């Protein structure tokens, strides 16, 4: 009898778009025990399949992986996430022997896609190769079909979302797709699910390079659990525990902020000098009242949407009801989109922001990167590094939402200036030259997000040490980073863990293991889980190190060390390079990495089981 | 309705081909919908009778303004009604929504319409069932459980013609799914009087209350409800 692995199907769906062939591949149980699933298992597969550094991320060889975790598919509150893992098309090191050197990319997306992968009978989908013309993939349990997508090529994600489901004739399908940005290989293109949920940070570009418009699936299966009764009882506790947190008068980030959507951070961030404004030169936005939570609530949103089995519903949708943009129907601005297309560009027109967010999502581009790129171009234009002709005649002034919209369209189509702008700030500043890299706000080639660092050096460490380039979700220290790498590998949403009832199964800090133990039949303690997180983080680092990423790449844009904040309560303040370097030294020490090179040390790798035996 | 009847006469023994069914469906939602639903607006026009007794039954009602589309209802329904035998003990299942009797239809713009059996007083599903009445029980293959008002199928008598599924799809909420043997499945059981979907809905969007055929959107197909609500809430033409 086959040795049964509980909590997993134990197989991947492997699709090669060059040959049109697919197969089901067995996942070694050792891999799931060490790397869980999601981001971790995706990293392990990437490591196994890309055996050499310097492989072009846009080559057919680069696998694009959709990876749910061992929680996914079970009705655990907010176990809705899936990770898209691939080699990044956005990043590059300062020095490397390989022209196509880049980091790993992992991008976490909510909704229903991850659970449905598990319903279809897989623990992940691995796509390699490149189709000779645009295609989409339909998966229904064992049945896999690759179909012609020519008629959908060029279509925005919103229209696609509406038309594709009609084509399929069944609303039970769950779909991930790319928009024109992905098709046109904008380096920071997204993968979009349900027309508004996005896996950002470049994974859509890899999907575009494979000529893959969409992947859609549904299924009738479910992995077995090891201890059925224990699982049911913990599941009940999990639901009750979260209900208590959500209805408790006590404070938690979950019941205070997240439940109102991340737009609730807009005002808080500006009031606490942590916001990305004016291409990162400022930390507060004078017009925050016009784009903050109250404005969003009043003017835009009126619908709440939840991901699979989530009792929170942080996604707030709505429509523009008045003015020139009346009729725009989309997600209301949330923290990242509202800041990057709002405060960062000094745009205070909430209706215009909603419009440009819609357009960014419709083209399928990462709004963090797009807002950062446009902010950079606005600053370069202000400082006359570039002129109107360089921008194809766009008068790209601060606060002008229409100018921003024109840029978004140029980028999405890779037309004129959009061809260069679609490659990210690192590439643009290289082209512009004249030390414009000082205000190109990126790490390793990936753009920083809506949390500024002047007041929060911890966020600086998060950006600098993230394995996918500047990432605000990475975590400000080793412990947090390991914990989050583990969460991304379980398939649970990080937001649901934002409370302090630590024993709640499935979301409390000490409640994650019990549920996983019941599912897998392997006893998972909190320590063992965070060790898995550490292992995952280290394998990512090993991958990056092999590509040529060193300590010199783990840094912040020069602006934060040399240019004081322009205005507001933080005026005149900047980060101290020595302080940052000291924190980084400590960071490497805790990691067990060489402080000079950032190379992971053998003793730690040995302990984590990452050395060949 | 005419089409359903005709169709049944044509192909009594054979399951309908998907393309044929789709055609009928498109007719109903498109042009045909005007006939079926046009004059009554958001209210359903019942075919008959029998409403008095049905009013005493309880069903699952949806407040669409509260539903977030999380599909917790689907999962707990599946767990309860699609149980799993573990060590000879019947336990709640693991909740794949595929087996759920309540199903959330999601639309763009964001709108989620859980569809569940409306316990229709005129039960087009039963009316369309071609199996003859059993003289002892007075039942066709598909029949109403007199106690709860829920619909049940006798698999021994069911010929798997799919008429009930089609009738529900074209005339009502489209909740009946045909199983692998082409016999109707996924019809609300009300979970022994304690509907799990109502109990576990994190957003209080569901309630367990008396059947009220006059209620807005009662018994309508999710596609029709969505068109009306998208128009109402998003003020766009769909």
């Amino acid at each position: 009898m086959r040795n049964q692995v509980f909590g997993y199907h134990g197989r991947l769906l492997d699709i090669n778009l060059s040959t049109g062939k697919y197969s089901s591949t067995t996942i070694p149980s050792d891999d799931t025990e060490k790397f869980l699933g999601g981001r971790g298992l995706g990293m392990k597969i990437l490591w196994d399949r890309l055996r050499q550094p310097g492989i072009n991320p846009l080559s057919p060889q680069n696998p694009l992986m959709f990876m749910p975790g061992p929680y996914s598919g079970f009705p655990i509150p907010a176990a809705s996430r899936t990770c898209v893992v691939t080699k990044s098309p956005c990043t590059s090191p300062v020095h490397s022997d390989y022209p196509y050197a880049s980091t790993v990319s992992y991008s976490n997306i909510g909704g229903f896609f991850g659970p449905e992968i598990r319903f279809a009978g897989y623990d992940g989908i691995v796509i390699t190769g490149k189709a000779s013309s645009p295609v989409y993939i339909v998966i229904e349990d064992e049945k896999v079909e690759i179909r012609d997508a020519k008629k959908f090529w060029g279509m925005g994600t919103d229209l696609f979302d509406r038309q594709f489901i009609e084509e399929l004739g069944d609303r039970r399908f769950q779909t991930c797709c790319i928009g024109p940005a992905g098709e046109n290989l904008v380096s920071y293109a997204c993968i979009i699910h349900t027309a508004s949920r996005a896996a950002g940070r470049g994974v859509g570009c890899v999907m575009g390079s494979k000529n893959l418009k969409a992947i859609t699936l549904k299924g009738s299966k479910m992995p077995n659990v090891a201890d059925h009764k224990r699982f049911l009882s913990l599941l009940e506790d999990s639901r009750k525990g979260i209900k208590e947190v959500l209805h408790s008068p006590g404070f938690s980030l979950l019941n205070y902020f997240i439940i109102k959507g991340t737009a609730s951070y807009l005002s808080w961030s500006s009031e606490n000098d942590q916001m990305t404004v004016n291409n990162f030169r400022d930390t507060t936005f004078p017009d925050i009242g016009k784009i903050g939570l109250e404005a969003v609530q009043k003017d835009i949103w009126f619908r709440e949407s939840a991901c699979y089995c989530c009792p929170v519903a942080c996604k707030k949708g709505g429509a523009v009801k008045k003015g020139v943009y009346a009729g725009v129907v989309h997600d209301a601005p949330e923290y990242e989109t509202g800041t990057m297309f709002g405060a960062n560009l000094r745009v205070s027109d909430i209706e215009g922001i909603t419009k440009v967010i819609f357009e960014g999502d419709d083209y399928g581009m990462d709004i963090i990167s797009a807002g950062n790129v446009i902010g950079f171009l606005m600053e370069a234009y202000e400082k006359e590094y570039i002129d109107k002709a360089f921008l194809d005649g766009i008068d790209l002034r601060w606060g002008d939402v229409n100018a921003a919209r024109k840029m978004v369209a140029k980028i999405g189509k890779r037309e004129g200036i959009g061809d260069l702008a679609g490659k990210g700030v690192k590439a643009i500043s290289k082209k512009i030259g004249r030390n414009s890299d000082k205000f190109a706000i990126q790490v390793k080639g990936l753009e920083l997000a809506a949390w500024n660092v002047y007041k929060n050096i911890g966020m600086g460490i998060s950006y600098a040490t993230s394995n996918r380039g500047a990432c605000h979700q990475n975590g400000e220290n080793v412990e947090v980073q390991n914990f989050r790498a583990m969460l991304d590998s379980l398939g649970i949403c990080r937001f649901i863990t934002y409370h302090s009832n630590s024993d709640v199964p499935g979301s409390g800090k000490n409640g994650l293991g019990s549920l996983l133990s019941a599912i897998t039949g392997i006893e998972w303690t909190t320590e063992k889980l965070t060790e898995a997180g550490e292992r995952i983080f280290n394998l990512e680092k090993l991958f990056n190190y092999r590509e040529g990423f060193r300590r010199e790449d783990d840094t912040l844009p020069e602006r934060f060390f040399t240019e004081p904040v322009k205005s507001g309560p933080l005026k005149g303040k900047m980060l101290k390079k020595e302080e940052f370097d000291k924190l980084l030294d400590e960071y490497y020490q805790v990691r067990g990495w060489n402080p000079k090179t950032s190379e992971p040390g053998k003793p730690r790798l040995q302990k984590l089981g990452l050395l060949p035996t | 309705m005419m089409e359903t009847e005709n169709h049944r006469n044509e192909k009594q023994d054979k399951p309908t081909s998907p393309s044929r069914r789709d055609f009928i469906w498109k007719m109903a939602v498109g042009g045909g919908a005007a006939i079926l639903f046009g004059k009554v607006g958001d209210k359903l026009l019942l075919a008959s009778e029998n409403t008095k007794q049905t009013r005493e039954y309880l069903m699952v009602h949806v407040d669409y303004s509260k539903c977030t589309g999380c599909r917790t209802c689907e999962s707990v329904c599946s767990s309860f009604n699609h149980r799993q035998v573990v060590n000879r003990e019947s336990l709640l299942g693991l909740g794949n929504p595929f087996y759920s009797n309540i199903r959330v239809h999601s639309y763009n713009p964001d709108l989620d319409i859980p569809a569940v059996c409306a316990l229709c007083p005129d039960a087009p599903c039963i009316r369309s069932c071609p199996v003859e009445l059993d003289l002892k029980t007075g039942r066709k293959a598909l029949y109403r459980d007199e106690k709860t008002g829920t619909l049940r199928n006798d698999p021994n008598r069911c010929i798997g013609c799919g008429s009930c599924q089609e009738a529900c799809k074209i005339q009502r909420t489209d909740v009946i799914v045909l199983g692998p043997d082409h016999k109707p499945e996924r019809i609300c059981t009300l979970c022994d009087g304690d509907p799990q979907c109502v109990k576990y809905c994190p957003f209080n969007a569901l309630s367990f209350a008396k059947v009220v055929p006059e209620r807005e959107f009662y018994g309508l197909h999710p596609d029709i409800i969505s068109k009306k609500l998208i128009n109402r809430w998003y003020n766009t033409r769909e």
Side-chain angles (χ1 to χ4, degrees):
Chain A
M1 206 180 114
R2 187 174 152 259
N3 188 16
Q4 194 176 8
V5 181
F6 290 103
Y8 296 89
H9 295 289
R11 57 188 204 144
L12 299 167
L13 177 60
D14 237 301
I15 304 172
N16 184 328
L17 289 175
S18 297
T19 62
K21 293 206 167 101
Y22 63 91
S23 61
S24 158
T25 325
T26 306
I27 306 169
S29 59
D30 188 49
D31 282 0
T32 46
E33 216 185 312
K34 276 183 164 167
F35 298 95
L36 300 168
R39 175 175 157 188
L41 186 59
M43 183 59 238
K44 178 62 170 48
I45 298 167
L46 193 72
W47 179 256
D48 288 344
R49 299 207 180 185
L50 297 186
R51 289 172 180 272
Q52 258 113 49
I55 288 163
N56 183 350
L58 301 186
S59 71
Q61 217 184 328
N62 187 19
L64 177 72
M65 295 174 273
F66 294 84
M67 304 297 299
Y71 272 20
S72 305
F74 298 115
I76 301 161
S80 64
R81 312 291 297 187
T82 188
C83 250
V84 184
V85 185
T86 189
K87 187 168 189 266
S88 176
C90 300
T91 49
S92 54
V94 177
H95 298 103
S96 174
D97 300 336
Y98 315 103
Y100 290 110
S102 75
T103 62
V104 58
S105 188
Y106 46 86
S107 191
N108 200 288
I109 182 171
F112 306 88
F113 197 75
E116 205 67 42
I117 292 175
R118 299 262 284 179
F119 299 153
Y122 309 99
D123 299 318
I125 296 172
V126 182
I127 297 158
T128 51
K130 177 185 179 174
S132 54
S133 64
V135 294
Y136 67 86
I137 301 171
V138 186
I139 300 161
E140 207 175 332
D141 290 332
E142 275 84 18
K143 213 172 87 190
V144 180
E145 261 186 77
I146 300 169
R147 296 186 193 160
D148 182 23
K150 276 194 209 86
K151 68 174 164 183
F152 294 117
W153 204 248
M155 195 179 272
T157 62
D158 186 63
L159 184 62
F160 177 81
D161 183 67
R162 283 179 280 140
Q163 293 204 347
F164 187 58
I165 206 78
E166 298 293 332
E167 163 112 348
L168 295 170
D170 183 350
R171 290 193 174 271
R172 304 300 283 180
F173 278 102
Q174 298 297 339
T175 304
C176 275
C177 73
I178 54 168
E183 297 169 12
N184 297 327
L185 306 182
V186 171
S187 70
Y188 45 89
C190 288
I191 293 173
I192 301 268
H193 169 55
T194 67
S196 56
R197 293 177 170 100
R201 323 279 35 201
V203 292
C205 179
V206 175
M207 190 154 159
S209 76
K210 303 198 173 305
N211 259 333
L212 180 60
K213 179 70 181 179
I215 174 164
T216 189
L217 47 88
K218 67 168 190 168
S220 60
K221 297 177 186 162
M222 190 66 122
N224 282 319
V225 294
D227 188 339
H228 202 106
K229 274 190 171 170
R230 186 177 171 205
F231 172 77
L232 291 176
S233 137
L234 288 167
L235 177 63
E236 200 63 21
D237 293 346
S238 177
R239 289 176 176 143
K240 276 191 195 133
I242 282 297
K243 200 170 176 181
E244 268 167 37
V245 170
L246 291 175
H247 293 92
S248 134
F251 173 86
S252 73
L253 288 180
L254 184 62
N255 73 0
Y256 190 79
F257 282 107
I258 303 298
I259 201 158
K260 288 180 276 183
T262 61
S264 60
Y265 282 125
L266 287 164
S267 305
W268 184 90
S269 169
S270 179
E271 282 156 20
N272 289 277
D273 312 309
Q274 307 226 9
M275 194 172 232
T276 290
V277 186
N278 206 9
N279 196 29
F280 293 82
R281 281 179 288 182
D282 286 316
T283 57
T284 65
F285 186 45
D287 281 341
I288 191 67
K290 291 183 186 164
I291 70 164
L293 178 70
E294 290 74 22
V296 175
Q297 261 175 328
K298 185 173 142 281
D299 292 340
I300 312 290
W301 104 36
F302 50 81
R303 294 280 308 158
E304 306 200 317
S305 296
C307 297
Y308 187 65
C309 288
C310 172
V312 179
C314 72
K315 177 172 132 76
K316 317 291 181 184
V320 178
K321 289 163 244 167
K322 55 179 173 35
V324 285
Y325 304 114
V328 173
V329 173
H330 200 52
D331 271 20
E334 42 82 65
Y335 183 69
E336 289 296 331
T337 57
T339 303
M340 296 314 288
F341 275 168
N344 190 41
L345 309 183
R346 289 158 52 184
V347 174
S348 56
D349 165 8
I350 188 75
E351 283 135 9
I353 294 170
T354 307
K355 174 76 175 172
V356 70
I357 292 170
F358 168 80
E359 288 170 338
D361 282 342
D362 200 37
Y363 278 110
M365 66 181 70
D366 185 335
I367 290 175
I368 292 176
S369 288
N372 185 312
V373 162
I374 297 172
F376 170 84
L377 288 172
M378 282 179 169
E379 184 172 344
Y381 185 54
E382 170 206 313
K383 290 180 166 168
E384 298 182 347
Y385 280 61
I386 54 176
D387 59 11
K388 218 163 151 181
F390 186 90
L391 296 168
D392 298 338
I394 300 172
D395 188 20
L396 197 61
R397 286 176 194 280
W398 294 107
D400 185 344
V401 75
N402 273 312
R405 288 181 54 210
K406 283 178 195 159
M407 273 308 304
V408 164
K410 290 268 180 197
I411 294 167
K413 296 176 191 158
R414 287 286 294 276
E415 186 186 277
I417 175 66
D419 184 47
L420 175 64
K423 292 175 183 164
V425 281
K426 190 174 178 178
I428 310 170
S429 71
K430 203 171 166 188
K431 174 91 180 170
I432 292 175
R434 294 165 61 198
N435 294 329
S436 61
D437 58 311
K438 282 188 180 169
F439 59 93
I441 310 300
Q442 50 83 20
V443 174
K444 301 183 180 74
L446 192 69
E447 290 78 14
L448 271 74
W451 293 97
N452 213 328
V453 298
Y454 279 110
K455 195 180 176 181
N456 184 359
I457 199 165
M459 185 55 82
I461 292 292
S462 175
Y463 285 127
T465 59
S466 161
N467 286 325
R468 62 170 172 173
C471 169
H472 61 295
Q473 312 262 22
N474 183 40
E476 67 273 17
N477 61 45
V478 170
E479 192 192 341
V480 175
Q481 291 178 358
N482 293 344
F483 186 72
R484 290 180 181 177
M486 177 266 290
L487 290 179
D488 288 349
S489 305
L490 284 178
I492 191 79
C493 178
R494 182 147 70 76
F495 285 168
I496 202 85
T497 68
Y498 279 5
H499 65 80
S500 51
N501 296 13
S502 65
D503 290 331
V504 176
S507 68
K509 198 176 175 203
N510 295 320
L512 295 161
S514 58
L515 203 42
L516 190 63
S517 306
I519 291 171
T520 60
I522 296 163
E523 275 312 306
W524 283 94
T525 58
T526 308
E527 292 71 35
K528 195 176 163 185
L529 272 173
T530 43
E531 191 185 69
E534 185 179 10
R535 182 179 301 118
I536 291 159
F537 199 96
N538 273 273
L539 187 59
E540 290 169 349
K541 175 66 190 179
L542 280 173
F543 182 93
N544 293 350
Y545 189 83
R546 188 176 69 180
E547 296 279 325
F549 289 87
R550 299 291 181 268
R551 176 168 178 149
E552 61 189 349
D553 296 291
D554 289 356
T555 186
L556 288 174
E558 206 178 305
R559 157 154 294 166
F560 300 118
F561 302 115
T562 56
E563 268 184 69
V565 178
K566 277 184 79 177
S567 63
L570 231 55
K571 188 177 173 182
K573 191 183 151 57
M574 56 185 177
L575 296 185
K576 292 189 183 76
K577 189 77 170 58
E578 317 80 69
E579 193 190 341
F580 177 79
D581 286 340
K582 201 167 147 258
L583 279 173
L584 208 54
D585 282 338
E586 283 166 20
Y587 174 86
Y588 291 131
Q589 198 193 358
V590 179
R591 279 257 171 245
W593 296 355
N594 183 325
K596 285 207 177 74
T597 62
S598 79
E599 183 181 16
K602 290 228 157 54
R604 187 65 58 91
L605 295 180
Q606 180 91 48
K607 181 173 161 275
L608 295 169
L610 287 175
L611 287 181
T613 44
Chain B
M1 264 184 282
M2 279 291 290
E3 277 148 350
T4 323
E5 304 272 313
N6 287 344
H7 158 70
R8 212 177 68 217
N9 294 339
E10 271 165 34
K11 298 188 178 181
Q12 203 142 17
D13 302 318
K14 275 166 109 189
T16 332
S17 71
S19 58
R20 169 77 179 152
R21 257 184 283 154
D22 283 355
F23 174 73
I24 298 171
W25 167 233
K26 277 173 189 152
M27 284 294 291
V29 169
I35 304 160
L36 287 170
F37 309 106
K39 287 184 180 166
V40 287
D42 300 340
K43 305 269 164 39
L44 184 73
L45 188 63
L46 290 172
S48 76
E49 80 235 29
N50 192 23
T51 57
K52 208 164 190 181
Q53 186 197 354
T54 316
R55 280 171 196 282
E56 298 306 311
Y57 293 133
L58 302 174
M59 66 172 280
V60 174
H61 292 271
V62 184
D63 181 341
Y64 303 110
S65 69
K66 288 183 181 167
C67 178
T68 66
C70 74
R71 299 168 69 200
T72 301
C73 54
E74 292 187 358
S75 176
V76 293
C77 173
S78 166
S79 287
F80 190 89
N81 293 294
H82 198 80
R83 300 171 81 88
Q84 213 167 312
V85 176
V86 181
N87 299 328
R88 292 192 199 157
E89 200 179 344
S90 170
L91 299 174
L92 294 177
L94 296 173
N96 183 337
F98 182 85
Y99 301 101
S100 174
N101 305 333
I102 183 169
R103 280 190 307 285
V104 181
H105 297 236
S106 298
Y107 296 87
N108 171 1
D110 285 336
L111 179 67
D112 301 285
I113 308 287
V116 62
C117 178
L119 278 63
C120 307
D122 56 345
C125 49
I126 298 181
R127 284 150 52 91
S128 74
C129 178
V131 174
E132 281 184 18
L133 291 177
D134 180 303
L135 292 177
K136 271 188 208 157
T137 59
R139 290 171 179 168
K140 295 177 169 184
L142 194 69
Y143 63 97
R144 190 188 295 278
D145 177 303
E146 291 299 327
K147 203 166 148 243
T148 61
T150 54
L151 285 305
R152 293 195 178 181
N153 187 47
D154 180 348
N156 295 322
R157 301 194 68 219
C158 176
I159 57 168
C161 69
S163 302
C164 52
Q165 188 256 348
E166 216 158 273
C168 185
K169 181 173 182 173
I170 293 170
Q171 301 176 41
R172 300 293 152 86
T173 55
D174 190 15
V175 288
I176 299 177
V177 171
L178 299 179
D181 55 0
H182 219 256
K183 291 177 183 176
E185 285 183 359
R186 330 268 172 87
I187 308 173
C188 180
T189 65
L190 295 175
C191 304
D192 303 335
D194 184 17
Q196 301 295 293
C197 53
V198 176
K199 187 173 164 185
Y200 283 98
C201 174
F203 302 95
N204 297 316
L206 304 175
S207 56
F208 189 38
K210 278 187 180 166
V211 174
V212 185
E214 296 77 22
R215 196 177 150 133
E216 189 182 37
F217 305 130
Y218 172 85
L220 295 183
H221 192 282
D223 285 358
I224 294 166
I225 302 174
S226 79
K227 279 187 167 63
K228 289 176 187 294
L229 285 181
I230 284 173
N231 194 41
R232 183 182 302 172
W233 287 339
Y234 292 94
N235 194 24
T236 59
R237 282 173 196 278
E238 265 296 301

